[in-house]
Structure formats: C-alpha cells, structure tokens
C-alpha cells in the first residue's frame, strides 16, 4: 500500500504542477513578478535542480549541479528545454525511489542540514511541497508578471 500511496501523491504533484510548468516557454521565461524577484525560468530551473539534489537524502545521489539554491538569477533558467528534461529526470528519480525503497524504510531517520534529522517520508513530502509552492509562484508570475 505505501508504494501505491506514494506513487499517487507523486503523480498528483506532477499533474498539479504541470498546469503552471507547461505554460513556460522561452518567450516568457524572463518574466518576473517585480524587479526584485527571480524569473519564471530561474524558478523552474530551481525546482528541477532541487528535486534532483534532494535525491541525495533519499539514497539516490545526482550529478546535477546546483546553480540556483543560494544564487542570484543570472539567466540560469533561460534554457527552458534543459530545465524541462531535468524536471522529468527528477520525477523519474522520485518514482525510482518509491519503487526501490522498502516500506519500512520510509520511517528511517535522515540527517539533513536544513531540517535536522527527519524521516525519509518527510524529505519526500518536502520535495512535493517545494514543487507545488514554486508552481504557484510561477503561475502568479505568468499571469501578473512583466
């Protein structure tokens, strides 16, 4: 049951976020809510990178390089197609994690620099929340940004 439940959560996150993510194009990736905020393309790249980088805590290390966490938007999200590929790689990694993690291991403690020691399930759920949070930012920026 946990594998099916987690797969359902992942698929719903992917679907919900897709309503914003699929609207991102090279023509609108530069939009910002205001001059102090990151661009749509940067936020999208950030989601894709972060999802893959959090794989480290889930036992699925990635070769993805962080160019967004703790960095200023300097055009890292201009290549929308590359971000799209990276995002799909992240969703695939999460599905592989679900498939390969024994049910009892979801309660295993994981040490993180962000949250201290938390369960694998909490890390997984944080990734999904993070995706949805930024999808909302992107949707708002696409509708109101300049």
């Amino acid at each position: 049951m946990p594998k099916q439940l987690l797969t359902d959560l992942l698929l719903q996150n992917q679907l919900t976020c897709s309503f914003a993510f699929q609207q991102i194009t090279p023509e609108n990736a530069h939009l910002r809510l205001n001059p102090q905020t990151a661009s749509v393309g940067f936020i999208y790249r950030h989601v894709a990178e972060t999802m893959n980088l959090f794989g480290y805590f889930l036992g699925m290390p990635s070769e993805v390089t962080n160019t967004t966490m703790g960095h200023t938007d300097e055009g890292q999200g201009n290549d929308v197609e590359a971000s799209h590929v990276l995002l799909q790689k992240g969703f695939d990694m999460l599905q592989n994690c679900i498939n390969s993690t024994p049910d009892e291991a979801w309660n295993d403690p994981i040490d993180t620099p962000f949250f201290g020691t938390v369960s694998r399930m909490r890390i997984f759920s944080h990734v999904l929340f993070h995706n949805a949070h930024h999808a909302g930012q992107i949707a708002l920026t696409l509708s109101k940004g300049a």
Side-chain angles (χ1 to χ4, degrees), residues 2 33-34 45 84 86 98 105 112-113 117 120-121 130 138-139:
L33 199 52
N34 63 54
R45 178 68 184 206
H84 177 70
L86 200 58
I98 292 168
T112 73
T117 302
R120 182 181 314 274
M121 180 64 79
H130 183 263
I138 288 169

Side-chain angles (χ1 to χ4, degrees), residues 78-92:
N78 289 345
D79 188 345
V80 173
E81 184 56 34
S83 295
H84 177 70
V85 168
L86 200 58
L87 184 82
Q88 187 58 54
K89 182 178 178 173
F91 279 121
D92 291 345

Side-chain angles (χ1 to χ4, degrees), residues 50-114:
T50 303
M51 191 171 7
N52 282 281
L53 293 169
F54 264 83
Y56 170 82
F57 299 108
L58 297 169
M60 305 222 152
S62 174
E63 75 286 350
V64 171
T65 302
N66 171 34
T67 67
T68 58
M69 279 190 292
H71 295 272
T72 302
D73 184 348
E74 296 176 350
Q76 297 94 312
N78 289 345
D79 188 345
V80 173
E81 184 56 34
S83 295
H84 177 70
V85 168
L86 200 58
L87 184 82
Q88 187 58 54
K89 182 178 178 173
F91 279 121
D92 291 345
M93 178 275 300
L94 290 175
Q95 185 62 61
N96 288 336
C97 180
I98 292 168
N99 294 341
S100 64
T101 302
D103 291 348
E104 62 278 1
W106 288 99
N107 291 319
D108 288 352
I110 308 287
D111 292 325
T112 73
F114 311 107

Side-chain angles (χ1 to χ4, degrees), residues 3-34:
K3 286 187 188 327
Q4 186 57 54
L5 174 66
L6 292 171
T7 295
D8 285 349
L9 289 171
L10 179 62
L11 290 173
Q12 188 60 46
N13 183 260
Q14 202 168 4
L15 175 67
T16 301
C17 293
S18 75
F19 295 116
F21 294 163
Q22 289 179 358
Q23 293 181 52
I24 303 168
T25 66
E27 293 75 33
N28 65 20
H30 71 280
L31 292 176
R32 296 170 185 260
L33 199 52
N34 63 54

